[in-house]
Amino acid sequence: MGEVTTSLQRPVTNTYRSNNVRHVDSFEIQPPTPPTHNGVPRSAWARARRRVSRWHRPYTTILLLLDFAAAALASFLAIQIFDQAASGFYGVKENPTWFHTVAFGLLPLGWVVILWGNRAYDRRYLGLGPDEFKRVIRAGVAVAATVSFLAFATVTQLSRWTVGFALLGALLLILLGRMIARFTLHAVRRRAGQAGHRMVLVGTLPECLEVYTAVTRNPGAGLVPVAIHITDGYAAARGIQTPVPVYAGRDVLALVREVGGDTIAVCGSASSEPGELRRLAWLLEGSGVDLVVAPQLTDIAGPRVHIRPIEGLPLLHVEEPTLSGPALLMKNLMDRVAAGLGLLLLVPVFLAIGAAIRLSDPGPVFFRQPRVGHEGRTFRVWKFRTMYVDAEDRLASLVDQNETDGMLFKMKEDPRVFPVGRFLRASSLDELPQLINVLWGEMSLVGPRPLPADDGDFLGDVRRRLLVRPGMTGLWQVSGRSDLSWDEAVRLDLYYVDNWSLAYDLSILWRTVGVVLARKGAY
């Protein structure tokens, strides 16, 4: 076959390290790379069966064992709780073998098989995002339907309470087990830097750096860029500091093997040349290296994006964001119910915090400030007071010490905050009174943070945040809080506005627990 020449093959840059930062300095022309194949000469039987990234194999094995054990435990609890658990199984007292085989063997095995059929063990869904849990719930519905059908077909009078408890208990235990497994996986990734994907980013330098920033923001995701292969020539990177080595003009597969990578991420417009991405996919066939694409639509994801092929041309259709309908109604209902229950349960906590504030600094317990809410409406947000009563008067003298950009004023060691207030901020307890705003419909549990009403006109992209109600927590908070720049915070808020869903809200609420306990970016 003839040699395939693509724009991914260009002069190579030399890199060196200084103070843990790589600098692009000079370049040299690399000898011609060996011809690449287009997938035809290679026999399908010679295809590599094992991927370079193998962390998912032991992790999947652990999930299989956990799921089987969870289903068996649910059956055991159901049998212990309900006296009629063996209803429908004749001769159980004399010979319980068949009943126990079904309860502790066949039913858990059925769970595992149906979970597998719903791709709940697919490595693409493990460890990140809500898809894994959606597939577990879908499998739970399938198990319930299967058991009901078999009982109907065999005319077996099963104990409804026992079966219901066993199925629902198994579903909850499986979900709990997977949450614990995911938490452990993320801890291993953050602390040991293992069980992840070593990525080589391919594209222009700005696009690669943007993807690098996005994927490294959450170490628990397990995406670790180890090199950048630029497609816009060595001159684009000369003298620029980069967090990982930069190359150009290299055979991409050879580069991946050289740096110990297992994944190639094509960033932005790197695949703009017709057929280039397809040839790269051909090149990687049988190599065990994964290929992912980070398109230019980086802030649009989830159910809004659909691929609709027309005459062999895959068109990426982008739907409008869902800002109304049944899902929004359910979100509002969940907000009101959760806020009402939360306020009732937290009354003792409110009283204790109020007493601590009054002892620390005489003055009001609550701080109320005008904020901009849904569609530009102004409301007064509730917070526990964490600053001395003269904090607003002292702000003018501290403006030049602002440690953030944009519309916010933040100082890690703000002298206006009294000691108890510092603890309340670090633990986010000062935000709890905003449940009142949620109950009144001025805020939501999840959404962009409400900004002060006197901080500008909210023009341009920032104004799009007002399409949804502000939230007590949001994507900004679980991604770094005050450690993020203003532009990055706005980008995350806009991403939430464009891609929100109930599952996404629940995911953010779950992540909020970890962020609050770690006191990440809180000051």
Side-chain angles (χ1 to χ4, degrees):
M1 302 299 294
E3 180 178 352
V4 179
T5 304
T6 71
S7 63
L8 296 179
Q9 301 170 357
R10 292 195 178 142
V12 64
T13 59
N14 291 333
T15 61
Y16 62 91
R17 182 190 294 268
S18 175
N19 295 328
N20 295 323
V21 178
R22 281 82 174 181
H23 303 263
V24 178
D25 184 24
S26 59
F27 75 101
E28 61 183 16
I29 302 298
Q30 180 180 322
T33 56
T36 58
H37 60 73
N38 61 3
V40 176
R42 175 183 40 76
S43 169
W45 298 103
R47 183 173 304 172
R49 297 298 179 183
R50 293 176 65 86
R51 295 188 176 273
V52 177
S53 175
R54 300 177 184 176
W55 67 267
H56 62 282
R57 294 180 181 274
Y59 186 75
T60 302
T61 302
I62 293 173
L63 289 183
L64 285 168
L65 297 176
L66 286 176
D67 294 344
F68 188 93
L73 177 59
S75 296
F76 174 78
L77 294 176
I79 293 172
Q80 297 300 314
I81 293 174
F82 298 100
D83 296 333
Q84 302 298 321
S87 175
F89 291 85
Y90 301 104
V92 173
K93 294 183 178 180
E94 296 78 9
N95 184 15
T97 303
W98 172 239
F99 172 67
H100 289 160
T101 300
V102 172
F104 301 119
L106 295 181
L107 183 58
L109 182 61
W111 267 100
V112 171
V113 171
I114 293 180
L115 284 168
W116 194 289
N118 280 273
R119 304 177 71 181
Y121 300 104
D122 194 317
R123 64 190 182 87
R124 289 174 293 181
Y125 308 118
L126 298 180
L128 190 66
D131 282 342
E132 177 184 358
F133 303 113
K134 290 180 181 179
R135 293 176 184 278
V136 171
I137 295 174
R138 192 182 306 163
V141 175
V143 170
T146 302
V147 171
S148 301
F149 174 78
L150 291 176
F152 175 79
T154 58
V155 196
T156 303
Q157 299 297 323
L158 298 177
S159 170
R160 294 181 178 86
W161 284 104
T162 303
V163 173
F165 183 91
L167 295 181
L168 182 59
L171 177 61
L172 295 178
L173 288 174
I174 289 173
L175 289 173
L176 177 61
R178 285 180 174 250
M179 289 179 183
I180 296 174
R182 177 176 290 196
F183 178 82
T184 305
L185 175 65
H186 288 186
V188 170
R189 286 173 169 176
R190 284 192 297 265
R191 297 175 185 177
Q194 300 177 353
H197 299 277
R198 293 172 59 85
M199 304 174 63
V200 174
L201 308 179
V202 178
T204 64
L205 187 60
E207 290 169 341
C208 289
L209 292 178
E210 181 180 356
V211 173
Y212 177 92
T213 302
V215 300
T216 56
R217 185 181 298 113
N218 180 14
L223 302 177
V224 184
V226 294
I228 293 175
H229 185 283
I230 56 175
T231 59
D232 50 352
Y234 73 93
R238 185 186 295 274
I240 298 178
Q241 297 182 355
T242 58
V244 294
V246 175
Y247 303 86
R250 299 289 298 274
D251 177 76
V252 181
L253 182 55
L255 176 60
V256 170
R257 290 170 175 166
E258 177 183 326
V259 300
D262 55 59
T263 303
I264 292 177
V266 179
C267 308
S269 59
S271 59
S272 59
E273 181 177 324
E276 183 175 350
L277 184 59
R278 178 177 57 182
R279 295 188 190 100
L280 180 59
W282 287 344
L283 177 66
L284 298 181
E285 288 182 6
S287 66
V289 176
D290 292 327
L291 176 63
V292 298
V293 179
Q296 290 177 315
L297 293 173
T298 53
D299 291 334
I300 300 177
R304 293 186 57 200
V305 178
H306 304 276
I307 298 179
R308 298 170 184 168
I310 299 178
E311 298 298 329
L313 177 64
L315 298 180
L316 198 66
H317 287 250
V318 181
E319 309 292 348
E320 292 186 6
T322 304
L323 299 175
S324 60
L328 185 61
L329 181 62
M330 185 62 65
K331 175 183 172 73
N332 294 339
L333 179 62
M334 180 181 71
D335 287 340
R336 303 293 178 88
V337 173
L341 293 176
L343 288 171
L344 289 176
L345 296 176
L346 292 173
V347 168
V349 178
F350 276 44
L351 294 176
I353 294 176
I357 293 175
R358 293 300 298 269
L359 292 174
S360 299
D361 181 59
V365 171
F366 295 102
F367 171 74
R368 301 194 64 192
Q369 185 183 41
R371 300 288 178 100
V372 178
H374 184 213
E375 295 181 348
R377 291 190 288 268
T378 302
F379 68 99
R380 298 181 70 86
V381 69
W382 287 79
K383 294 183 67 175
F384 281 121
R385 185 170 61 90
T386 59
M387 294 184 176
Y388 294 106
V389 291
D390 61 345
E392 293 296 326
D393 299 332
R394 298 164 59 183
L395 176 60
S397 62
L398 300 172
V399 170
D400 58 343
Q401 301 181 44
N402 188 11
E403 298 180 16
T404 64
D405 54 359
M407 292 184 169
L408 303 176
F409 176 86
K410 290 285 185 178
M411 287 182 62
K412 291 184 177 180
E413 300 295 335
D414 195 329
R416 302 174 300 161
V417 180
F418 49 79
V420 171
R422 199 173 305 280
F423 168 77
L424 294 177
R425 288 190 167 206
S427 59
S428 297
L429 292 175
D430 63 319
E431 309 281 355
L432 289 180
Q434 292 172 22
L435 289 171
I436 300 174
N437 297 111
V438 176
L439 187 63
W440 289 349
E442 298 168 332
M443 291 180 61
S444 174
L445 293 177
V446 182
R449 286 296 294 158
L451 297 178
D454 56 351
D455 277 347
D457 297 328
F458 296 90
L459 299 177
D461 294 344
V462 180
R463 188 167 183 80
R464 188 167 178 80
R465 300 168 81 255
L466 307 181
L467 289 176
V468 298
R469 286 184 298 167
M472 292 183 62
T473 184
L475 191 57
W476 173 6
Q477 283 68 38
V478 299
S479 300
R481 303 174 78 177
S482 299
D483 291 338
L484 298 178
S485 67
W486 168 250
D487 290 340
E488 189 65 17
V490 171
R491 190 190 72 80
L492 291 172
D493 281 340
L494 297 184
Y495 180 91
Y496 172 81
V497 172
D498 287 338
N499 301 284
W500 82 271
S501 66
L502 286 177
Y504 202 22
D505 280 4
L506 294 176
S507 173
I508 291 175
L509 288 172
W510 172 254
R511 291 172 61 186
T512 300
V513 176
V515 171
V516 170
L517 294 177
R519 300 186 181 184
K520 181 180 179 182
Y523 53 86

